[in-house]
């Protein structure tokens, strides 16, 4: 049977096309907000309910539309902003495709109330399923109010893929924040479920917009960038944060091209590069960077949602942005070294398996306790082992009796607290018997098994051990420890919204957070299990955990959310400082790992162990090469 080939009806075509523009509530907000800004508004209010799934209202005091204008605006490919294709190269407005209102109208219920400046009457127009179902005069203020409800009501497949309210709102907040930072001369307010997320003054001062969106502390830390550097860009202007004011995610770097909010990974990378070693590898600054790109220097028409941009001279842009930001940071005396990012400072590399960015003395104590050479070397019973003078770079191999290094041969050494492991895990979940040979790159344990060699990533192993311990503690009665000192911290608008949505899950984890006011948080308790290690880092840690709610978008039960967070907590730099090595030796780490339900992967799925089988090693040495007559020894 041959399948029928049929033409799609106009309705279906519309909805498919609309899907290119309207992916989620945040895309609706973005289009409506861009229209308001293009309409010369001085004040825009964005109000959303249930992450924008139930209702989105964008109200502006801009130029408004006549009835004819409004009727035209909701038709396909109608725009007041572009006459023909030649205009595409010199677009001064944010929107230009003339498809947003039409697209939104075909996947939602859409209403527009609008009145041109100075006009005596306004127009109200309603679109349902892509058709204008109602249009008539109405009394309303000058400007335009667009309301969108029942988004994707007629496209269940798309509606189904929307995330939690909190995550959808986080996307909306990202877009509105970006435009609030991009257009400090416009007063922009964002409200979610009746609560104000932020409100900018519209006084034209970028720093004041940063204060509204990110808080006073961040605003105070911002350094002006005013790039006169040479390159393909005509100018670079904006603000970047002091390196000490940073976060765990990239979402606080806002990139603009000629005032338009875009995603430009090139620019984000260039910003981070400029900080060099001033930032730890997993931390990111706050930044608002506007690039003045000459006509033809950028392709803004890459994607229907117009978020991605391509630069004609990508490398040139990257270098110019980095140079401009370096100059700004240097001006504040903030850059000392030009070592590439990722090459850690000495204090980070000399400690085996250590990767914390903390400067606390608490951690310094840990560091020395965590050093395997200190531990093993201090054991008088192992001091005599002298079979490896040739491997002097490895403390374990040097100083340890063969029997001490043989994991599982000496069970009393292998378990924590000197107890033997209970339970009977299956072979699959257990590590092979192994003899530790040494350490490579201060990072990997090298061991010999019956089948070949294994490399164990200490960090990944440690994260797995931490994770399972935390999970056990949370499942039982999680003991919390009250912090002696109440540390308050300021939240960005985004963090405040996340805390509203996920405060319960955080407290299930042991982090109880008080809210003296909307944008301030104070952590009162932490999980006792990690209390000694995080100490005064607790508030910042809780704040980092909050961001993970969006990154991972954990759906469903509090349990699922908590489990997701446990994984992040176990991997957090201030937690993963060698728990197991602190408690014993490498054997201790391996024993703890062996007791894990799943010793083979870190909580985020990275492997803890790589096996190199005898066959593989032999193959690499071409031991079956005929020239050797197949001889093996
Ligand atoms: P585009 O923004 O690409 O032109 P849209 O579908 O978003 O396409 O809007 C179509 C037209 O409707 C715009 O060109 C503009 O003339 C008009 N319009 C839309 N929103 C507003 C608004 N908030 N105020 C005034 N005019 C608007
Ligand atoms: Mg538009």
């Amino acid at each position: 049977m041959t399948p029928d080939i049929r033409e799609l009806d106009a309705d279906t075509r519309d909805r498919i096309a609309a899907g290119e523009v309207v992916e989620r509530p945040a895309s609706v907000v973005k289009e409506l907000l861009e229209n308001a800004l293009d309409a010369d508004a001085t004040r825009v209010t964005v109000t959303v309910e249930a992450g924008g799934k139930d209702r989105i209202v964008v109200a502006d005091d801009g130029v408004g539309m006549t009835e004819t204008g409004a009727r035209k605006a909701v038709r396909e490919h109608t725009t007041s902003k572009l006459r023909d294709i030649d205009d595409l190269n010199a677009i001064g407005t944010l929107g230009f495709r003339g498809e947003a209102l039409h697209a939104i109208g075909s996947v939602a219920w859409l209403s527009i109330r609008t009145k041109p400046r100075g006009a005596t009457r306004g127009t109200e127009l309603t679109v349902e399923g892509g058709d204008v179902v109602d249009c008539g005069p109405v009394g309303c203020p000058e400007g335009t109010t667009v309301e969108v409800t029942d988004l994707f009501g007629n496209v269940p497949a798309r509606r189904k893929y929307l995330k939690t309210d909190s995550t959808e709102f986080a996307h909306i907040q990202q877009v509105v924040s970006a435009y609030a930072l991009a257009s400090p001369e416009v007063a922009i307010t964002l409200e979610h479920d009746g609560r104000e997320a932020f409100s900018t003054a519209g006084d034209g001062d970028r720093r004041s917009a940063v204060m509204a969106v990110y808080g006073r502390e961040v605003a105070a830390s911002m350094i002006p960038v005013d790039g006169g550097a040479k390159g393909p860009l005509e100018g670079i202007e904006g603000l970047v944060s002091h390196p000490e004011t940073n976060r765990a995610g990239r979402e606080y770097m806002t990139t603009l091209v000629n005032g338009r909010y875009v995603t430009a990974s090139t620019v984000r990378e260039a910003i981070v590069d400029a900080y060099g070693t001033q930032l730890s590898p997993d931390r990111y600054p706050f930044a608002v960077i506007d690039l003045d790109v000459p006509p033809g220097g950028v392709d803004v028409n890459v994607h229907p949602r117009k978020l991605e941009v391509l630069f004609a001279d990508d490398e040139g842009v990257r270098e110019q942005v980095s140079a401009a930001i370096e100059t700004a940071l240097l001006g504040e005396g903030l850059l000392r070294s030009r070592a590439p990012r990722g090459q850690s400072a000495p204090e980070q590399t000399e400690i085996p398996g250590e990767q914390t960015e903390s400067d606390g003395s608490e951690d310094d104590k840990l560091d020395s306790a965590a050093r395997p050479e200190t531990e093993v070397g201090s054991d008088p019973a192992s001091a005599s082992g002298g079979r490896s003078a040739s491997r002097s770079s490895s403390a374990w191999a040097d100083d340890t009796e063969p029997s001490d290094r043989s994991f599982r041969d000496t069970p009393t050494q292998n378990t924590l607290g000197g107890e033997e492991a209970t339970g009977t895990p299956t072979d699959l979940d257990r590590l092979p018997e192994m003899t530790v040979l040494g350490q490579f790159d201060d990072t990997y344990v090298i061991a010999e098994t019956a089948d070949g060699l294994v490399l164990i990533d200490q960090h990944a192993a440690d994260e797995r051990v931490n994770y399972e311990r935390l999970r056990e503690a949370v499942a039982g009665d999680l003991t919390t420890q009250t912090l002696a000192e109440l540390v308050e911290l300021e939240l960005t608008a985004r963090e405040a919204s996340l805390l509203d949505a996920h405060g319960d899950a955080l407290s299930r984890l042991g982090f109880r957070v008080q809210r003296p006011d909307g944008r301030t948080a104070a952590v009162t308790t932490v999980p006792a299990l990690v209390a000694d290690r995080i100490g005064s880092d607790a508030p910042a840690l809780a704040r980092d955990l909050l961001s993970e709610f969006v990154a991972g978008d954990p759906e469903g039960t509090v349990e699922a959310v908590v489990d997701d967070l446990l994984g992040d907590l176990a991997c957090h730099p201030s937690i993963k400082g060698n728990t197991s090595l602190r408690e014993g030796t490498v054997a201790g780490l391996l024993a703890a790992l062996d007791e894990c339900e799943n010793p083979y992967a870190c909580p985020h799925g990275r492997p803890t162990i790589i096996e190199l089988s005898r066959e593989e090693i032999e193959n690499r040495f071409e031991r079956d090469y005929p020239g050797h007559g197949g001889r093996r020894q």
Side-chain angles (χ1 to χ4, degrees):
M1 198 173 89
T2 19
D4 276 352
I5 298 178
R6 275 165 302 164
E7 199 178 335
L8 293 171
D9 59 57
D11 238 33
T12 310
R13 281 205 305 266
D14 264 7
R15 276 182 225 159
I16 291 172
E20 293 286 294
V21 181
V22 185
E23 184 195 27
R24 62 191 333 158
S27 7
V28 173
V29 169
K30 175 173 182 292
E31 295 294 339
L32 299 183
L33 183 52
E34 285 181 350
N35 282 351
L37 294 172
D38 281 347
D40 189 36
T42 65
R43 178 167 295 278
V44 185
T45 306
V46 179
T47 311
V48 300
E49 283 167 28
K53 291 184 218 167
D54 286 0
R55 190 161 171 263
I56 295 167
V57 183
V58 177
D60 68 59
D61 63 352
V63 295
M65 288 174 269
T66 61
E67 184 187 325
T68 330
R71 279 182 180 278
K72 263 195 205 151
V74 295
R75 289 213 311 268
E76 204 172 0
H77 301 305
T78 50
T79 173
S80 56
K81 301 167 193 173
L82 183 75
R83 251 142 306 188
D84 59 58
I85 195 72
D86 294 336
D87 282 359
L88 262 177
N89 287 326
I91 300 151
T93 52
L94 300 169
F96 54 85
R97 293 164 160 269
E99 63 186 344
L101 286 179
H102 175 77
I104 294 165
S106 64
V107 292
W109 183 91
L110 168 74
S111 136
I112 300 174
R113 256 178 303 132
T114 183
K115 186 165 94 171
R117 285 176 181 161
T120 48
R121 52 156 231 179
T123 303
E124 178 161 29
L125 176 148
T126 310
V127 179
E128 252 184 79
D131 301 318
V132 176
V133 293
D134 201 11
C135 182
V138 72
C140 65
E142 289 175 3
T144 303
T145 299
V146 180
E147 179 173 352
V148 175
T149 57
D150 197 24
L151 179 62
F152 299 135
N154 57 357
V155 200
R158 233 167 222 287
R159 176 121 193 149
K160 203 174 69 191
Y161 283 106
L162 297 182
K163 308 278 184 169
T164 58
D165 292 1
S166 148
T167 293
E168 292 301 339
F169 180 68
H171 287 287
I172 291 171
Q173 189 151 19
Q174 178 77 17
V175 166
V176 182
S177 299
Y179 276 110
L181 297 168
S183 313
E185 68 288 352
V186 183
I188 297 181
T189 300
L190 174 63
E191 269 177 40
H192 187 210
D193 291 339
R195 209 187 285 208
E196 180 181 292
F198 67 80
S199 184
T200 62
D203 56 8
D205 177 13
R206 182 110 68 196
R207 197 182 292 266
S208 129
V210 168
M211 188 165 100
V213 177
Y214 295 148
R216 195 172 303 273
E217 263 171 43
V218 176
S221 89
M222 293 304 248
I223 298 157
V225 177
D226 201 348
K230 285 195 194 69
L233 304 169
E234 261 158 28
I236 298 165
E237 188 264 320
L239 297 167
V240 294
S241 66
H242 186 287
E244 274 170 21
T245 303
N246 58 57
R247 290 292 192 274
R250 291 175 179 80
E251 59 274 349
Y252 293 115
M253 290 187 279
T254 302
T255 52
L256 314 170
V257 164
N258 301 338
R260 172 187 298 161
Y261 168 47
V262 296
T263 51
S265 47
T266 301
V267 180
R268 283 183 168 187
E269 284 163 20
I271 295 170
V272 173
D273 277 352
Y275 282 81
T277 56
Q278 298 275 307
L279 275 174
S280 309
D282 47 4
R283 307 296 296 185
Y284 302 91
F286 288 80
V288 188
I289 292 293
D290 191 5
L291 310 183
D292 187 348
V293 183
V298 65
D299 185 354
V300 287
N301 199 21
V302 185
H303 193 275
R305 285 196 305 278
K306 299 173 305 209
L307 257 179
E308 300 299 334
V309 290
L310 291 182
F311 297 102
D313 179 4
D314 196 60
E315 213 33 56
V317 168
R318 182 192 299 271
E319 278 165 24
Q320 199 179 348
V321 170
S322 267
I325 294 172
E326 270 173 37
T327 306
L329 294 173
L330 271 170
E332 303 281 314
L334 287 173
L335 284 180
R336 291 187 304 263
S337 147
R338 293 240 19 183
R341 183 172 165 81
Q343 296 193 357
S344 336
E347 69 270 15
Q348 286 178 304
T349 47
E350 88 190 13
I351 310 300
E354 181 58 49
Q355 215 187 42
T356 118
E357 72 225 47
S358 166
D359 52 358
S361 54
E362 191 68 31
D363 280 40
D364 295 339
K365 269 184 265 155
L366 271 178
D367 289 348
S368 54
R371 275 171 202 249
E373 49 267 61
T374 318
E375 286 298 314
V376 176
S378 65
D379 179 357
S382 65
S384 61
R387 72 170 198 163
S388 51
S390 60
R391 280 178 280 156
S392 58
S393 66
S394 164
W396 303 325
D398 286 351
D399 305 335
T400 313
E401 287 286 0
S403 66
D404 286 350
R405 293 187 289 113
S406 181
F407 171 64
R408 189 156 317 152
D409 290 349
T410 51
T412 47
Q413 267 217 338
N414 294 342
T415 51
L416 303 162
E419 289 157 50
E420 287 211 46
T422 50
T424 48
T426 63
D427 271 358
L428 250 183
D429 304 330
R430 300 220 62 164
L431 299 176
E433 198 167 303
M434 56 179 84
T435 303
V436 174
L437 301 176
Q439 192 193 29
F440 168 64
D441 217 11
D442 287 346
T443 306
Y444 308 101
V445 174
I446 307 171
E448 180 182 359
T449 67
D451 300 324
L453 288 177
V454 293
L455 291 175
I456 297 136
D457 182 328
Q458 281 168 223
H459 275 147
D462 208 48
E463 284 166 10
R464 165 54 62 177
V465 171
N466 276 328
Y467 168 71
E468 294 209 3
R469 281 187 199 164
L470 284 165
R471 199 175 57 177
E472 219 168 278
V474 170
D477 195 15
L478 180 67
T479 316
T480 59
Q481 185 168 314
T482 305
L483 294 175
E485 224 179 304
L486 201 90
V487 190
E488 289 195 350
L489 83 168
E490 208 182 27
L491 303 173
T492 65
R494 179 178 191 269
E495 289 160 347
S497 306
L498 288 172
L499 189 52
D500 285 341
H502 302 295
D504 285 354
L506 263 193
S507 91
R508 281 268 288 116
L509 263 178
F511 291 90
R512 286 218 181 87
V513 182
Q514 281 179 358
R515 294 287 284 282
D517 69 64
R519 294 281 288 269
T520 311
V523 176
T524 56
T525 71
V526 297
L529 205 58
V530 296
D532 59 330
R533 253 163 299 136
I534 56 182
S536 59
D537 275 350
L541 178 57
R543 183 163 63 184
D544 283 351
L545 285 176
L546 276 174
S547 331
E548 300 293 342
F549 281 105
V550 179
D553 192 41
E555 297 277 347
T557 61
V558 174
E559 272 60 42
V561 172
V562 165
D563 195 62
D564 216 72
L565 283 188
L566 285 178
D568 296 321
L569 187 54
C571 299
H572 196 277
S574 60
I575 298 291
K576 70 179 182 189
N578 292 324
T579 320
S580 317
L581 293 188
R582 182 177 62 136
E583 283 161 356
T585 57
V586 170
L589 171 63
L590 296 181
L593 182 64
D594 188 44
E595 279 172 43
C596 285
E597 222 169 82
N598 173 9
Y600 285 98
C602 91
H604 288 130
R606 237 165 25 85
T608 54
I609 296 185
I610 292 175
E611 304 196 53
L612 274 175
S613 68
R614 179 169 289 105
E615 288 76 54
E616 193 174 341
I617 294 169
E618 284 170 352
N619 283 342
R620 293 293 297 275
F621 282 112
E622 301 179 20
R623 286 218 144 214
D624 47 4
Y625 180 65
H628 290 128
R631 184 162 44 94
R632 291 174 182 234
Q633 17 181 274

